[in-house]
Amino acid sequence: MESMNAPASRPLTVRLATTPLSGSVAVPGDKSISHRALMFAALARGETGITGLLEGEDVLRTAAAMRALGATVTRVAPGTWQVTGQGLGALQEPDDVLDMGNSGTAARLLSGILASHGIFSVMTGDGSLRGRPMKRVIDPLSATGARFNARSGGRLPLAIEGVADPAPLAYRLPVASAQVKSAVLLAGLNAAGTTRVEEPVATRDHTENMLRHFGAEVSVAPLDAGGRMITLTGRPELVARDVAVPGDPSSAAFVLAAALLVPGSSVTVRGVGLNPLRTGLFTTLREMGADLRLSNERVEGGEPVGDLTAVAGPLHGVDVPAERAPSMIDEYPILAVVAAHATGPSRFRGLEELRVKESDRLSATVALLQRNGVSVDVVGDDMLVIGTGGAVPGGGVVETRMDHRLAMSATVLGLIAVQPVQVDDTAFIDTSFPGFIALMNSIGAGLAA
C-alpha cells in the first residue's frame, strides 16, 4: 500500500451513460486534513492515532517525508495510522532528498517546517511538481532567516538551509492561498514570539483548526472586505492528539456532479467534510438548481461532517463571485463540466489561483471543454462557459497534464457527452482518490479502459 513508484499511463475512453447512477458510497479521507494530520503529529510529542487517512500517493509522500525527518510513522490498518513525534524543534536532518511526488500542498507546507528547523534538506517532485512555482512560499519564509536555493522561478528541486532560531513572521498574502498561509504558520510554530498572517479573503482553515487541536494558541480576527488576521503564539507545547479525518469534499464533488448530470440518478456520499470554508461548490450547485440534500449532520475531530445526496435534474447557469473562489478552488474543473451541461451561460470570477495548481488548471479546464465542443472563454481571471442545455458534443481527447482533478472532471464529462471522450491518462487520479474508477463503477458508471 505504501509503494510510491511512478504509475504507468492509463488512458480511458468514457462513453455516454445509458442508465442512471445510484447507490450510497464513502469517498477517501480529506487530503488537506490528511497531510496536516501527519505533519502535526510528527511535530507533537507523543503518539497520535489517525483514522480515515487518505492513502493516495500524495499523502504517502508526506508520510515518507515525516518518517525521514525522524518521526515514527506506521500504518496499522487501512486508513489507520500511528505517528510518534519527538516534539517541536526535534526533527532530524534527512539522509536523502525528500521526494514529494505530485503534491504541491505537501511541498509548500513542509517548506515552512523545514525553514524553521536547524537542518539542511532538499525537496523534489515529479515532472508536474517541478514545474510549479515555489517562490510565493520562499519569499515570506526567507524572513525567518532560512536560506533557499531553487531552479529559475523558484522551482523544485529546492535546497533549504533551515534555522534553529527562526524569526517570527508578519505577512500579508497578496493572493488568497491556504497553502502559503499554512507554510507561514508552520514556520512560526518554532519561532519565539508571535507570527501574524493577513489574508485578503478567508481561505480553508484546517491548519488553524488542527493547530488548536494539538494545543497551539491561535486566534482569528475578521478584517474589512472579508479578510482575516491569523495570530499564532510561537513555540507551543504540541501534544499528541488523535485525529479522525472526514471524507474529502473535493473528492465527493466528482461523484455528486455525475449524479446531478446523468438523468434519473440519485447517489448518496456518506461522511463528507462540511467545513464552511470548503463548501462553496455545494452552495454554487444549489444556486444552479441542484437537488442536493444534507442529512446526518455531526462533528468529528473538530470538523463538521454530513451525508450528501444528489438527485439529477435540470440546471441553469450561474455567476459565481470572486470571494467564493477560495472555498472551492479545487472544484472549478468539475464545476465547469456541470456548467457545460447546464442551460445558459456561467461566469466564474477571480480564478488567478488556478494558474498555479497541478497544471495551469485554468487553461487546462478551458482546453478540456473546447476539445469537446463547449464554448468557453477566459476574460482576465474570469472563466465564461456557455451551457449546452444537456447536449455536450464530446468526441475530444483530454490532456490531463498529470493533474488528477482534470482526469476526474474529464471522466464525468464523458458520462454526459454525445460522443466518447478520451482521457489521455487516469493514473494520477490515485494521488488524491485511490479507487475512483471502481467507486464510479459501483454506482453504475460502466467505465472501462
Side-chain angles (χ1 to χ4, degrees):
M1 189 70 197
E2 292 187 63
S3 170
M4 293 180 293
N5 296 325
S9 175
R10 292 201 297 267
L12 180 69
T13 299
V14 187
R15 293 174 171 80
L16 179 70
T18 56
T19 58
L21 307 179
S22 64
S24 175
V25 297
V27 297
D30 186 288
K31 186 164 69 162
S32 295
I33 295 175
S34 293
H35 282 305
R36 288 162 173 81
L38 290 167
M39 291 182 185
F40 284 48
L43 294 173
R45 186 176 301 278
E47 184 175 286
T48 292
I50 305 172
T51 55
L53 188 83
L54 170 65
E55 293 181 337
E57 291 289 324
D58 279 8
V59 175
L60 295 180
R61 296 285 181 178
T62 294
M66 302 322 294
R67 191 180 291 124
L69 292 167
T72 302
V73 183
T74 307
R75 182 176 186 263
V76 178
T80 301
W81 292 62
Q82 288 183 344
V83 180
T84 303
Q86 302 302 313
L88 190 61
L91 297 182
Q92 69 181 29
E93 190 165 284
D95 293 332
D96 205 345
V97 173
L98 302 173
D99 187 346
M100 308 316 297
N102 189 245
S103 182
T105 299
R108 293 184 179 117
L109 268 60
L110 193 56
S111 295
I113 294 172
L114 296 171
S116 55
H117 285 74
I119 58 177
F120 173 79
S121 57
V122 178
M123 279 197 299
T124 190
D126 66 13
S128 171
L129 185 57
R130 292 196 305 273
R132 280 183 260 166
M134 293 288 288
K135 191 173 185 298
R136 60 202 189 119
V137 293
I138 292 173
D139 286 350
L141 294 178
S142 295
T144 63
R147 295 175 60 187
F148 296 84
N149 286 286
R151 294 165 65 213
S152 63
R155 293 173 296 145
L156 300 181
L158 175 65
I160 303 174
E161 295 180 44
V163 57
D165 190 20
L169 301 174
Y171 187 65
R172 187 185 191 281
L173 295 173
V175 176
S177 169
Q179 292 181 3
V180 178
K181 172 182 69 174
S182 296
V184 172
L185 291 173
L186 284 167
L189 266 180
N190 202 34
T194 300
T195 287
R196 294 181 175 85
V197 183
E198 181 182 340
E199 54 183 1
V201 179
T203 64
R204 59 181 65 176
D205 59 356
H206 301 308
T207 295
E208 296 95 307
N209 291 344
M210 197 165 289
L211 279 168
R212 295 188 193 97
H213 185 67
F214 280 90
E217 184 180 332
V218 182
S219 63
V220 179
L223 299 174
D224 292 340
R228 304 192 313 170
M229 176 69 77
I230 300 98
T231 303
L232 167 70
T233 302
R235 294 191 171 164
E237 180 66 23
L238 296 183
V239 180
R241 291 281 306 277
D242 290 348
V243 178
V245 181
D248 195 324
S250 296
S251 294
F254 302 99
V255 183
L256 295 168
L260 291 172
L261 299 179
V262 176
S265 298
S266 177
V267 175
T268 297
V269 183
R270 305 185 304 273
V272 180
L274 297 174
N275 184 303
L277 294 172
R278 291 287 301 279
T279 55
L281 175 70
F282 306 146
T283 299
T284 301
L285 291 174
R286 289 191 176 102
E287 289 176 355
M288 299 178 78
D291 186 350
L292 197 58
R293 307 169 187 176
L294 173 61
S295 61
N296 196 19
E297 292 182 78
R298 57 207 186 268
V299 175
E300 293 181 357
E303 295 276 349
V305 176
D307 302 343
L308 283 169
T309 300
V311 179
L315 302 173
H316 54 79
V318 69
D319 191 324
V320 182
E323 56 265 27
R324 193 179 296 166
S327 70
M328 54 186 293
I329 196 65
D330 287 328
E331 284 75 73
Y332 280 103
I334 187 60
L335 178 60
V337 169
V338 174
H341 186 270
T343 299
S346 292
R347 185 173 188 130
F348 312 135
R349 301 178 184 271
L351 305 187
E352 62 268 21
E353 174 75 0
L354 282 187
R355 301 185 191 276
V356 291
K357 286 292 187 178
E358 279 73 354
S359 57
D360 177 347
R361 200 173 267 168
L362 184 55
S363 67
T365 301
V366 168
L368 185 162
L369 297 183
Q370 286 180 338
R371 291 189 177 189
N372 287 282
V374 179
S375 178
V376 57
D377 196 10
V378 174
V379 179
D381 290 321
D382 297 357
M383 178 165 53
L384 289 81
V385 180
I386 306 302
T388 63
V392 176
V397 177
V398 177
E399 294 182 7
T400 55
R401 309 185 191 185
M402 300 170 69
D403 189 324
H404 47 104
R405 301 197 193 281
L406 284 173
M408 288 186 279
S409 298
T411 300
V412 174
L413 181 72
L415 294 175
I416 58 169
V418 177
Q419 297 297 321
V421 172
Q422 296 180 54
V423 187
D424 72 342
D425 191 3
T426 62
F428 285 90
I429 291 175
D430 285 344
T431 64
S432 70
F433 198 150
F436 169 73
I437 290 176
L439 184 148
M440 292 299 293
N441 284 338
S442 77
I443 60 174
L447 304 175

